[in-house]
């Protein structure tokens, strides 16, 4: 999934779950800014829509890439890593300037990057491997199922993170999630069983997209702990490096084509890194600061819709009425679950 990993450095309580975005969650704790105006909100809504359209392009670039789907994921991560590293260095520079700026009490503000210890280094490797598994499975799923289904099924993260946090950290299991979870199962039955007619190829793609949500949930659990101790872009730069190397290793084992053979092939990979990995998540992280989180989450659920439009226009991927019904039920269940987990009515 064109996953959105927020670069916002705020931390959230352990029991709060990231919102669904196929490329990932809306930044937790994002609230409307104090200076919010109707003009700011309108611009932010346009930015969120643009971010959603950028994130939904991931599957398009995978399908037209000159290299294999797993290798495409590797390029996406490695090409984005220098961009994230540049953002991290800029943030560190600002921290050093702030550290030298006297405060009202006459003391310098704390600044500087925290040293990454051995335990966190291991967590970065583990998180990078989870992210690589997520990208590998998701990119392969685009070859077997529709862009809309792959984007949607990878968005079932809230239903996976809740039991994960219960098993790993002993967080209270939100039993109120049971009803939207049952609704999600109904949607899955309509979409995957009735909608595909148990076609082996299509079913394989849907199952790969579902597995994607599991590994992305594991990645978010690891990344959440790291982000509470370190600056977000610094962590994401190193995670992207680990993810890219792991993806290339898997691509080599699968015997995929590893090297673009034209300028167009390179432009596709660069466009993927800029739109899905950098531009989409940066716009999202900025815009949701000026929007109510519930509204931003509703916009994010348009990503499978955008993917469906891309699939129809570019690849003639037509959805049956049964499939559209399943997608509708799943969208309702995801939005319902997200509101419950964030304490909304």
């Amino acid at each position: 999934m064109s996953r959105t990993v927020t670069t916002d450095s705020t931390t959230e309580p352990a029991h709060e779950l990231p919102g669904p975005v196929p490329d990932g969650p809306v930044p937790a704790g994002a609230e409307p800014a104090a200076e919010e105006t109707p003009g700011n909100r309108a611009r932010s809504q346009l930015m969120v829509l643009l971010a959603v359209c950028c994130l939904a392009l991931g599957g398009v670039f995978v399908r037209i890439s000159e290299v294999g789907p797993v290798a495409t994921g590797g390029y996406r991560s490695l090409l984005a890593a220098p961009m994230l590293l540049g953002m991290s260095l800029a943030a560190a520079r600002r921290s050093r300037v702030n550290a030298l700026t006297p405060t009202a009490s006459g003391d310098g503000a704390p600044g500087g990057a925290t040293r990454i210890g051995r335990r966190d280094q291991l967590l970065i490797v583990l998180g990078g491997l989870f992210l690589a598994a997520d990208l590998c499975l998701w990119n392969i799923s685009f070859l077997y199922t529709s862009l809309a289904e792959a984007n949607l099924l990878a968005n079932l993260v809230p239903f996976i993170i809740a039991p994960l946090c219960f098993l790993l950290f002993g967080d209270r299991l939100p039993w109120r999630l049971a009803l939207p979870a049952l609704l999600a199962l109904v949607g899955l039955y309509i979409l995957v069983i009735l909608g595909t007619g148990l076609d082996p190829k299509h079913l394989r793609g849907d199952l790969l997209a579902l597995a994607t949500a599991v590994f992305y949930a594991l990645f978010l659990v690891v990344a959440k702990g790291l982000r509470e101790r370190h600056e977000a872009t610094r962590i994401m730069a190193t995670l992207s490096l680990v993810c890219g190397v792991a993806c290339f290793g898997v691509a080599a084992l699968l015997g995929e084509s590893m090297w673009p053979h034209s300028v167009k092939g390179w432009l596709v990979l660069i466009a993927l890194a800029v739109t899905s990995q950098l531009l989409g998540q940066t716009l999202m992280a900025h815009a949701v600061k000026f929007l109510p989180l519930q509204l931003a989450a509703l916009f994010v659920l348009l990503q499978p819709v955008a993917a469906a439009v891309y699939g129809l226009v570019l690849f003639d991927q037509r959805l049956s009425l049964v499939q559209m019904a399943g997608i509708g039920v799943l969208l309702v269940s995801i939005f319902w679950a997200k509101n419950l987990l964030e304490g909304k009515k």
Side-chain angles (χ1 to χ4, degrees), residues 146 149 202 308 311-312 315-321 323-324:
S146 69
E149 289 175 77
H202 202 123
L312 176 63
F315 308 112
D316 196 30
Q317 293 181 346
R318 301 179 183 273
L319 298 174
S320 66
L321 290 178
Q323 288 174 307
M324 287 190 284

Side-chain angles (χ1 to χ4, degrees), residues 38-116:
N40 281 340
R41 175 172 290 201
R43 283 192 296 272
S44 298
Q45 289 175 354
L46 289 174
M47 291 176 67
V48 170
L49 285 174
L50 179 58
V52 166
C53 292
C54 287
L55 294 170
L57 281 170
V60 174
F61 290 125
V62 170
R63 277 183 161 262
I64 65 176
S65 176
E66 293 179 356
V67 300
V70 175
T72 299
Y75 278 108
R76 168 182 164 171
S77 295
L78 288 184
L79 290 175
M83 307 176 197
L84 291 166
L85 183 59
M87 295 168 63
S88 176
L89 292 175
R93 190 178 301 113
R94 286 195 300 269
S95 296
R96 286 194 296 270
V97 172
N98 291 338
L100 297 175
T101 303
T103 61
S105 61
D107 298 325
T114 305
R115 181 180 178 274
I116 300 179

Side-chain angles (χ1 to χ4, degrees), residues 64-214:
I64 65 176
S65 176
E66 293 179 356
V67 300
V70 175
T72 299
Y75 278 108
R76 168 182 164 171
S77 295
L78 288 184
L79 290 175
M83 307 176 197
L84 291 166
L85 183 59
M87 295 168 63
S88 176
L89 292 175
R93 190 178 301 113
R94 286 195 300 269
S95 296
R96 286 194 296 270
V97 172
N98 291 338
L100 297 175
T101 303
T103 61
S105 61
D107 298 325
T114 305
R115 181 180 178 274
I116 300 179
R118 184 176 296 275
R119 176 176 176 271
D120 283 351
Q121 291 174 0
L122 294 175
L123 285 176
I124 287 174
V125 172
L126 183 63
L129 293 177
F130 285 147
L131 186 58
D134 158 63
L135 273 180
C136 290
L137 294 173
W138 200 50
N139 284 3
I140 294 174
S141 74
F142 288 126
L143 305 182
Y144 298 101
T145 190
S146 69
L147 300 186
E149 289 175 77
N151 275 270
L152 177 65
L153 294 173
N155 257 321
L156 296 175
V157 174
F159 298 109
I160 298 168
I161 286 190
L164 269 181
C165 289
F166 171 74
L167 293 173
L168 297 177
F169 309 117
D171 287 357
R172 182 174 59 85
L173 193 63
W175 293 108
R176 54 186 176 171
L177 195 64
L179 288 178
L182 287 174
L183 185 62
L185 289 176
V186 173
L188 282 173
Y189 177 78
I190 296 173
L191 178 64
V192 178
I193 305 300
L194 299 182
T196 66
L198 294 180
D199 174 67
K201 180 180 178 181
H202 202 123
L203 188 60
R204 185 185 308 136
D206 285 348
L207 291 177
L208 288 171
L210 279 172
T212 293
V214 175

